[in-house]
Amino acid sequence: MTDRSRLSLLGLDPDGLSPDQVAAFDALTDEEVEVLARIKRKIDDVAGDVEGHGMEGGGVVW
């Protein structure tokens, strides 16, 4: 079962992810999730310069 709070640290809605994507996030350690969250916060801080982009197939690039 997905720990939705881990995904919310990254601003992700598990309902918008594929089962494979959710499984990949479930396999991350707490430390890995925290690193991703810190990276995302840094990128969000410069959102005027760097924006997220959806990718064909449902991927996201920040």
Side-chain angles (χ1 to χ4, degrees):
M1 180 56 85
T2 302
D3 179 351
R4 290 175 184 252
S5 66
R6 287 169 38 117
L7 295 176
S8 68
L9 281 173
L10 299 172
L12 297 173
D13 176 11
D15 296 331
L17 299 175
S18 74
D20 288 340
Q21 290 170 323
V22 173
F25 280 108
D26 282 345
L28 297 175
T29 66
D30 288 341
E31 292 79 16
E32 290 168 328
V33 171
E34 180 56 34
V35 168
L36 288 174
R38 288 189 350 236
I39 291 168
K40 183 165 184 319
R41 283 192 295 269
K42 285 183 177 188
I43 291 172
D44 287 347
D45 287 345
V46 293
D49 296 326
V50 179
E51 293 291 332
H53 301 280
M55 296 174 57
E56 188 172 323
V60 176
V61 177
W62 289 305

